[in-house]
């Protein structure tokens, strides 16, 4: 006999990351492919611009773990070379050219840093809870400036960034709130460090603006959680009744809970091949098309 939920019982906290929340916001169908369908649909080939980003992020994290006297631009360049990810490029020649480009931008960036100005955290996991969500994520770098913390996020994309990008970022705001709670220090400032141009896009949040972002995260979580719960109820029943291990076909009423949001981003979606609406929204992209000219 099925047990009915008791009225007035507290809702289960929705465990998530900012990336999971943003995926739901950008496209619920992609959210289902990434987080709900098991096995998950096969992704497309790796993207070269992601390889550049991960290589640079890993090198910067490793740079701060080096002894003080080795925190030099030359070391940063060497770390890029050692950890270079060559996936998604047109050929070995293009990969080598971008490796050298990544070495140059990373070395140039660390030349602007004070190697003795030890961060509070590098690739630091932070977390926070509200009455609705249990959210966690990893901050690229967490600085201390005076009595306050500053969230630093590295960017390697081709598009220059603005203060509005920093202001509107749900992830950065959530990281600021979570960092403050974990470290027991105020955190209002968030920064996007764009390595290709050497520029910094920054924003100084208020308590009120951080609260608005957190409330928005909760609203997104409620929507995603309701759809996920209904998916799990269907999936559990379907798999129990299934005679073999073939993944059950998602029925229309469940698929409708995760509607696609066709748009320009569809050309860059890892699950594009499984989404007719996404294919109709834009043309195919080659794995290296995201690289700057």
């Amino acid at each position: 006999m099925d047990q009915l939920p008791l009225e007035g019982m507290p809702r289960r906290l929705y465990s998530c990351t900012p990336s999971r929340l943003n995926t739901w916001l950008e496209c619920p169908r992609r959210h289902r492919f990434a987080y709900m369908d098991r096995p998950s649909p096969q992704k497309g080939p790796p993207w070269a611009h992601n390889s550049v980003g991960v290589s640079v992020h890993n090198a910067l994290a490793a740079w701060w773990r080096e002894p003080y006297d080795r925190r030099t631009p030359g070391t940063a360049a060497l770390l890029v070379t050692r950890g270079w990810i060559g996936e998604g490029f047109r050929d070995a020649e293009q990969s080598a050219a971008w490796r050298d480009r990544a070495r140059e931008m990373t070395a140039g960036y660390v030349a602007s840093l004070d190697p003795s100005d030890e961060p509070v955290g590098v690739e630091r996991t932070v977390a926070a809870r509200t009455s609705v969500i249990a959210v966690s994520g990893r901050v690229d770098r967490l600085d201390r400036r005076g009595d306050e913390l500053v969230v630093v996020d590295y960017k390697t994309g081709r598009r220059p960034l603005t203060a509005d990008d920093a202001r509107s970022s749900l992830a950065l705001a959530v990281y600021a709130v979570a960092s403050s709670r974990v470290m027991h220090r105020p955190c209002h400032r968030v920064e996007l460090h764009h390595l290709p141009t050497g520029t910094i896009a920054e924003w100084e949040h208020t308590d009120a603006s951080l609260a608005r972002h957190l409330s928005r995260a909760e609203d997104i979580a409620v929507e995603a959680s309701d759809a996920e719960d209904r998916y799990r109820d269907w999936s559990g029943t379907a798999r129990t009744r299934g005679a073999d291990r073939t993944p059950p076909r998602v029925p229309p009423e469940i698929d409708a809970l995760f509607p696609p949001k066709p748009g320009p981003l569809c050309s860059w979606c890892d699950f594009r091949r499984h989404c007719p609406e996404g294919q109709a929204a834009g043309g195919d992209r080659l794995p290296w098309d995201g690289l700057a000219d």
Side-chain angles (χ1 to χ4, degrees), residues 206-230:
T206 64
D207 288 340
S209 66
L210 289 175
R212 285 194 297 270
H213 273 289
L214 200 58
S215 177
R216 181 165 171 254
E218 290 178 327
D219 290 342
I220 298 169
V222 169
E223 287 185 11
S225 179
D226 287 343
E228 288 182 13
D229 286 346
R230 291 182 61 183

Side-chain angles (χ1 to χ4, degrees), residues 122-161:
V122 174
E123 294 291 327
R124 173 66 187 259
T125 298
V126 294
R129 290 190 175 207
T130 72
S131 60
V132 177
I133 57 176
V135 61
S136 63
R138 192 163 58 183
V139 180
D140 287 345
R141 199 174 85 220
L142 194 59
D143 289 349
R144 178 184 296 154
R145 300 186 196 159
D147 294 329
E148 293 235 355
L149 300 174
V150 176
V151 171
V152 173
D153 194 50
Y154 306 130
K155 294 296 183 184
T156 58
R158 58 183 175 181
R159 182 178 71 86
L161 301 167

Side-chain angles (χ1 to χ4, degrees), residues 62-285:
W63 189 81
W64 284 110
R65 291 193 288 267
E66 290 285 334
Y68 167 72
D69 60 353
R70 283 187 48 79
R71 292 178 186 170
T72 65
T75 296
L78 180 61
L79 290 168
V80 171
T81 300
R82 287 178 176 174
W84 182 246
I85 299 169
E87 296 181 335
F89 295 93
R90 181 181 56 242
D91 49 33
E93 183 180 358
Q94 187 187 50
S95 174
W98 271 92
R99 181 197 61 208
D100 293 343
R101 197 164 175 172
R103 282 168 50 92
E104 183 180 352
M105 78 168 75
T106 307
Y109 174 70
V110 302
S112 70
L113 302 177
D114 179 356
S116 66
D117 191 12
E118 202 74 39
V120 174
V122 174
E123 294 291 327
R124 173 66 187 259
T125 298
V126 294
R129 290 190 175 207
T130 72
S131 60
V132 177
I133 57 176
V135 61
S136 63
R138 192 163 58 183
V139 180
D140 287 345
R141 199 174 85 220
L142 194 59
D143 289 349
R144 178 184 296 154
R145 300 186 196 159
D147 294 329
E148 293 235 355
L149 300 174
V150 176
V151 171
V152 173
D153 194 50
Y154 306 130
K155 294 296 183 184
T156 58
R158 58 183 175 181
R159 182 178 71 86
L161 301 167
T162 68
D164 192 57
D165 291 309
R167 177 194 62 79
S168 62
S169 171
L170 177 69
L172 291 183
V174 168
Y175 291 151
V177 172
S179 297
S180 178
R181 296 188 182 182
V182 168
M183 307 300 294
H184 305 290
R185 285 180 176 272
C187 183
H188 296 91
R189 188 180 185 87
V190 296
E191 296 180 351
L192 294 168
H193 291 205
H194 190 238
L195 272 69
T197 59
T199 58
I200 296 175
E202 57 195 30
W203 187 258
E204 190 81 22
H205 278 291
T206 64
D207 288 340
S209 66
L210 289 175
R212 285 194 297 270
H213 273 289
L214 200 58
S215 177
R216 181 165 171 254
E218 290 178 327
D219 290 342
I220 298 169
V222 169
E223 287 185 11
S225 179
D226 287 343
E228 288 182 13
D229 286 346
R230 291 182 61 183
Y231 181 100
R232 291 190 187 95
D233 289 343
W234 160 78
S235 179
T237 302
R239 292 179 186 278
T240 299
R241 293 176 179 174
D244 54 36
R245 296 186 178 182
T246 303
R249 184 179 181 85
V250 178
E253 63 271 19
I254 297 299
D255 187 52
L257 298 172
F258 301 87
K261 288 187 178 180
L265 291 179
C266 291
S267 293
W268 304 98
C269 180
D270 287 331
F271 301 105
R272 173 181 171 79
R273 69 177 68 177
H274 308 288
C275 180
E277 292 87 348
Q279 294 173 33
D284 289 330
R285 293 284 188 172

